[in-house]
Short mmCIF file of all heavy atoms in Angstrom, two decimals:
data_model
loop_
_atom_site.label_atom_id
_atom_site.label_comp_id
_atom_site.label_asym_id
_atom_site.label_seq_id
_atom_site.Cartn_x
_atom_site.Cartn_y
_atom_site.Cartn_z
N GLN U 1 0.78 -1.14 -0.02
CA GLN U 1 -0.04 -0.06 0.00
C GLN U 1 0.89 1.26 0.02
O GLN U 1 0.42 2.32 -0.38
CB GLN U 1 -0.95 -0.04 1.24
CG GLN U 1 -2.07 0.97 1.07
CD GLN U 1 -3.23 0.62 2.03
OE1 GLN U 1 -3.09 -0.34 2.76
NE2 GLN U 1 -4.26 1.42 1.94
N VAL U 2 2.12 1.17 0.51
CA VAL U 2 3.02 2.32 0.47
C VAL U 2 3.96 2.13 -0.75
O VAL U 2 4.36 1.02 -1.01
CB VAL U 2 3.84 2.33 1.78
CG1 VAL U 2 4.63 1.11 2.05
CG2 VAL U 2 4.73 3.61 1.80
N GLN U 3 4.21 3.22 -1.48
CA GLN U 3 5.13 3.16 -2.52
C GLN U 3 6.45 3.81 -2.18
O GLN U 3 6.46 4.89 -1.46
CB GLN U 3 4.51 3.97 -3.73
CG GLN U 3 3.26 3.34 -4.29
CD GLN U 3 2.73 4.08 -5.49
OE1 GLN U 3 3.31 4.03 -6.56
NE2 GLN U 3 1.61 4.73 -5.28
N LEU U 4 7.55 3.21 -2.64
CA LEU U 4 8.93 3.59 -2.20
C LEU U 4 9.70 3.89 -3.42
O LEU U 4 9.67 3.11 -4.37
CB LEU U 4 9.61 2.49 -1.38
CG LEU U 4 8.77 1.98 -0.16
CD1 LEU U 4 9.49 0.76 0.49
CD2 LEU U 4 8.67 3.09 0.87
N VAL U 5 10.49 4.96 -3.40
CA VAL U 5 11.31 5.35 -4.47
C VAL U 5 12.70 5.67 -3.92
O VAL U 5 12.82 6.73 -3.27
CB VAL U 5 10.75 6.53 -5.32
CG1 VAL U 5 11.61 6.90 -6.45
CG2 VAL U 5 9.31 6.21 -5.83
N GLU U 6 13.76 4.89 -4.40
CA GLU U 6 15.09 5.20 -3.95
C GLU U 6 15.77 6.17 -4.93
O GLU U 6 15.41 6.24 -6.10
CB GLU U 6 15.90 3.91 -3.94
CG GLU U 6 15.39 2.86 -2.98
CD GLU U 6 14.58 1.80 -3.69
OE1 GLU U 6 13.98 2.14 -4.72
OE2 GLU U 6 14.54 0.66 -3.21
N SER U 7 16.75 6.90 -4.38
CA SER U 7 17.59 7.73 -5.24
C SER U 7 18.85 7.96 -4.56
O SER U 7 19.07 7.58 -3.35
CB SER U 7 16.83 9.14 -5.44
OG SER U 7 16.64 9.79 -4.21
N GLY U 8 19.84 8.54 -5.24
CA GLY U 8 21.09 8.91 -4.71
C GLY U 8 22.30 7.93 -5.07
O GLY U 8 23.41 8.13 -4.72
N GLY U 9 21.94 6.86 -5.76
CA GLY U 9 23.00 5.97 -6.17
C GLY U 9 23.85 6.53 -7.31
O GLY U 9 23.53 7.56 -7.86
N GLY U 10 25.03 5.95 -7.46
CA GLY U 10 25.93 6.39 -8.43
C GLY U 10 27.30 5.75 -8.38
O GLY U 10 27.40 4.69 -7.70
N LEU U 11 28.32 6.31 -9.03
CA LEU U 11 29.67 5.84 -9.04
C LEU U 11 30.50 6.66 -8.07
O LEU U 11 30.52 7.89 -8.09
CB LEU U 11 30.29 5.90 -10.42
CG LEU U 11 31.66 5.51 -10.64
CD1 LEU U 11 31.90 4.06 -10.30
CD2 LEU U 11 32.18 5.81 -12.02
N VAL U 12 31.31 5.96 -7.28
CA VAL U 12 32.16 6.64 -6.28
C VAL U 12 33.45 5.88 -6.07
O VAL U 12 33.42 4.65 -6.26
CB VAL U 12 31.40 6.82 -4.93
CG1 VAL U 12 31.07 5.50 -4.28
CG2 VAL U 12 32.17 7.69 -3.91
N GLN U 13 34.54 6.51 -5.82
CA GLN U 13 35.79 5.89 -5.59
C GLN U 13 35.79 5.23 -4.20
O GLN U 13 35.11 5.69 -3.23
CB GLN U 13 36.89 6.79 -5.72
CG GLN U 13 37.26 7.23 -7.13
CD GLN U 13 38.52 8.00 -7.24
OE1 GLN U 13 38.77 8.82 -6.40
NE2 GLN U 13 39.26 7.84 -8.29
N ALA U 14 36.62 4.16 -4.03
CA ALA U 14 36.78 3.57 -2.74
C ALA U 14 37.23 4.55 -1.66
O ALA U 14 38.07 5.49 -2.01
CB ALA U 14 37.76 2.39 -2.78
N GLY U 15 36.70 4.49 -0.51
CA GLY U 15 36.97 5.50 0.51
C GLY U 15 36.01 6.66 0.49
O GLY U 15 36.03 7.47 1.47
N GLY U 16 35.22 6.83 -0.51
CA GLY U 16 34.28 7.95 -0.63
C GLY U 16 33.05 7.73 0.09
O GLY U 16 32.84 6.74 0.79
N SER U 17 32.09 8.65 -0.05
CA SER U 17 30.81 8.65 0.62
C SER U 17 29.63 8.82 -0.34
O SER U 17 29.83 9.50 -1.40
CB SER U 17 30.75 9.65 1.74
OG SER U 17 31.70 9.47 2.74
N LEU U 18 28.51 8.38 0.04
CA LEU U 18 27.34 8.51 -0.73
C LEU U 18 26.12 8.47 0.24
O LEU U 18 26.17 7.69 1.19
CB LEU U 18 27.29 7.34 -1.78
CG LEU U 18 26.46 7.59 -3.09
CD1 LEU U 18 27.07 8.77 -3.89
CD2 LEU U 18 26.50 6.31 -3.87
N ARG U 19 25.09 9.24 -0.11
CA ARG U 19 23.85 9.14 0.68
C ARG U 19 22.68 8.78 -0.16
O ARG U 19 22.44 9.41 -1.17
CB ARG U 19 23.57 10.49 1.40
CG ARG U 19 22.41 10.34 2.35
CD ARG U 19 22.18 11.63 3.15
NE ARG U 19 21.40 12.57 2.34
CZ ARG U 19 20.64 13.58 2.88
NH1 ARG U 19 20.63 13.76 4.20
NH2 ARG U 19 20.06 14.43 2.11
N LEU U 20 22.03 7.64 0.17
CA LEU U 20 20.86 7.24 -0.48
C LEU U 20 19.61 7.74 0.25
O LEU U 20 19.60 7.93 1.43
CB LEU U 20 20.81 5.72 -0.52
CG LEU U 20 22.05 4.98 -1.13
CD1 LEU U 20 21.76 3.49 -1.11
CD2 LEU U 20 22.33 5.54 -2.43
N SER U 21 18.56 8.00 -0.54
CA SER U 21 17.28 8.42 0.00
C SER U 21 16.18 7.45 -0.48
O SER U 21 16.28 6.94 -1.56
CB SER U 21 16.94 9.82 -0.48
OG SER U 21 17.93 10.80 0.01
N CYS U 22 15.20 7.28 0.40
CA CYS U 22 14.07 6.55 -0.05
C CYS U 22 12.76 7.31 0.33
O CYS U 22 12.56 7.52 1.54
CB CYS U 22 14.03 5.13 0.60
SG CYS U 22 12.55 4.09 0.32
N ALA U 23 12.04 7.73 -0.57
CA ALA U 23 10.84 8.57 -0.38
C ALA U 23 9.61 7.68 -0.43
O ALA U 23 9.45 6.86 -1.37
CB ALA U 23 10.75 9.66 -1.44
N ALA U 24 8.76 7.79 0.58
CA ALA U 24 7.56 6.97 0.67
C ALA U 24 6.34 7.77 0.48
O ALA U 24 6.27 8.95 0.86
CB ALA U 24 7.54 6.32 2.05
N SER U 25 5.32 7.17 -0.10
CA SER U 25 4.04 7.76 -0.28
C SER U 25 3.18 7.50 0.91
O SER U 25 3.49 6.82 1.81
CB SER U 25 3.37 7.27 -1.56
OG SER U 25 3.03 5.89 -1.40
N GLY U 26 2.05 8.29 0.97
CA GLY U 26 1.08 7.95 2.00
C GLY U 26 1.28 8.82 3.29
O GLY U 26 2.31 9.58 3.37
N ARG U 27 0.41 8.64 4.16
CA ARG U 27 0.44 9.37 5.47
C ARG U 27 0.68 8.51 6.65
O ARG U 27 0.51 8.93 7.81
CB ARG U 27 -0.88 10.17 5.64
CG ARG U 27 -1.17 11.29 4.61
CD ARG U 27 -2.46 12.00 4.82
NE ARG U 27 -3.59 11.13 4.59
CZ ARG U 27 -4.85 11.44 4.82
NH1 ARG U 27 -5.07 12.66 5.23
NH2 ARG U 27 -5.80 10.58 4.55
N THR U 28 1.10 7.28 6.42
CA THR U 28 1.39 6.32 7.51
C THR U 28 2.78 5.87 7.60
O THR U 28 3.10 4.85 8.09
CB THR U 28 0.51 5.10 7.33
OG1 THR U 28 0.71 4.44 6.03
CG2 THR U 28 -0.97 5.44 7.39
N PHE U 29 3.74 6.73 7.07
CA PHE U 29 5.09 6.42 7.02
C PHE U 29 5.69 6.02 8.36
O PHE U 29 6.43 5.00 8.53
CB PHE U 29 5.89 7.57 6.41
CG PHE U 29 7.40 7.32 6.37
CD1 PHE U 29 7.96 6.36 5.54
CD2 PHE U 29 8.21 8.04 7.20
CE1 PHE U 29 9.34 6.15 5.45
CE2 PHE U 29 9.62 7.87 7.08
CZ PHE U 29 10.14 6.89 6.28
N SER U 30 5.32 6.72 9.45
CA SER U 30 5.91 6.51 10.72
C SER U 30 5.40 5.22 11.38
O SER U 30 5.97 4.78 12.35
CB SER U 30 5.57 7.69 11.67
OG SER U 30 4.16 7.78 11.89
N ASN U 31 4.41 4.56 10.80
CA ASN U 31 3.92 3.35 11.22
C ASN U 31 4.90 2.19 10.86
O ASN U 31 4.80 1.06 11.40
CB ASN U 31 2.50 3.00 10.71
CG ASN U 31 1.44 3.94 11.36
OD1 ASN U 31 1.68 4.61 12.35
ND2 ASN U 31 0.29 3.95 10.75
N TYR U 32 5.71 2.39 9.86
CA TYR U 32 6.58 1.34 9.35
C TYR U 32 7.99 1.48 9.84
O TYR U 32 8.59 2.64 9.87
CB TYR U 32 6.64 1.41 7.84
CG TYR U 32 5.34 1.04 7.16
CD1 TYR U 32 4.45 2.07 6.71
CD2 TYR U 32 5.07 -0.24 6.88
CE1 TYR U 32 3.26 1.75 6.09
CE2 TYR U 32 3.83 -0.58 6.20
CZ TYR U 32 2.97 0.46 5.84
OH TYR U 32 1.80 0.08 5.20
N ALA U 33 8.56 0.38 10.30
CA ALA U 33 9.99 0.29 10.38
C ALA U 33 10.49 0.24 8.96
O ALA U 33 9.82 -0.26 8.04
CB ALA U 33 10.46 -0.94 11.20
N MET U 34 11.73 0.81 8.71
CA MET U 34 12.26 0.81 7.34
C MET U 34 13.58 0.16 7.32
O MET U 34 14.38 0.27 8.29
CB MET U 34 12.38 2.25 6.89
CG MET U 34 11.04 3.02 6.78
SD MET U 34 10.00 2.31 5.50
CE MET U 34 10.99 2.61 4.07
N GLY U 35 13.86 -0.55 6.24
CA GLY U 35 15.17 -1.22 6.14
C GLY U 35 15.78 -0.93 4.78
O GLY U 35 15.10 -0.57 3.83
N TRP U 36 17.04 -1.18 4.72
CA TRP U 36 17.85 -1.16 3.50
C TRP U 36 18.42 -2.50 3.30
O TRP U 36 18.99 -3.15 4.24
CB TRP U 36 19.00 -0.08 3.53
CG TRP U 36 18.56 1.36 3.36
CD1 TRP U 36 18.31 2.23 4.36
CD2 TRP U 36 18.23 2.06 2.14
NE1 TRP U 36 17.94 3.43 3.83
CE2 TRP U 36 17.87 3.31 2.48
CE3 TRP U 36 18.33 1.64 0.79
CZ2 TRP U 36 17.58 4.30 1.51
CZ3 TRP U 36 18.00 2.64 -0.20
CH2 TRP U 36 17.60 3.87 0.24
N PHE U 37 18.37 -3.04 2.03
CA PHE U 37 18.97 -4.29 1.60
C PHE U 37 19.76 -3.95 0.38
O PHE U 37 19.61 -2.92 -0.30
CB PHE U 37 17.89 -5.31 1.32
CG PHE U 37 17.13 -5.76 2.51
CD1 PHE U 37 16.12 -4.96 3.06
CD2 PHE U 37 17.35 -6.99 3.10
CE1 PHE U 37 15.37 -5.41 4.20
CE2 PHE U 37 16.68 -7.45 4.25
CZ PHE U 37 15.66 -6.59 4.79
N ARG U 38 20.68 -4.92 0.05
CA ARG U 38 21.44 -4.78 -1.17
C ARG U 38 21.64 -6.12 -1.81
O ARG U 38 21.62 -7.15 -1.14
CB ARG U 38 22.80 -4.06 -0.91
CG ARG U 38 23.81 -4.90 -0.05
CD ARG U 38 24.99 -4.05 0.25
NE ARG U 38 25.97 -4.81 0.95
CZ ARG U 38 27.08 -4.29 1.49
NH1 ARG U 38 27.31 -3.02 1.30
NH2 ARG U 38 27.97 -5.12 2.12
N GLN U 39 21.88 -6.16 -3.09
CA GLN U 39 22.04 -7.34 -3.82
C GLN U 39 23.11 -7.10 -4.93
O GLN U 39 22.95 -6.29 -5.83
CB GLN U 39 20.80 -7.86 -4.43
CG GLN U 39 20.94 -9.26 -5.09
CD GLN U 39 19.64 -9.93 -5.30
OE1 GLN U 39 18.63 -9.31 -5.48
NE2 GLN U 39 19.62 -11.23 -5.33
#
């Protein structure tokens, strides 16, 4: 029921930094615990 959209990925050198964002739809965002996974 909630829609999620990630952004912020890209190419970075080893030792660098990056910040990812995940924007959620709806008005019940705080009801959900949120996680990040990778593959």
Side-chain angles (χ1 to χ4, degrees):
Q1 196 161 4
V2 60
Q3 297 182 69
L4 307 172
V5 180
E6 300 97 332
S7 63
L11 176 65
V12 64
Q13 288 187 324
S17 298
L18 206 61
R19 188 175 79 157
L20 306 183
S21 299
C22 176
S25 66
R27 295 180 291 177
T28 60
F29 177 68
S30 63
N31 292 344
Y32 293 95
M34 298 293 296
W36 285 97
F37 294 76
R38 67 187 183 186
Q39 188 164 25

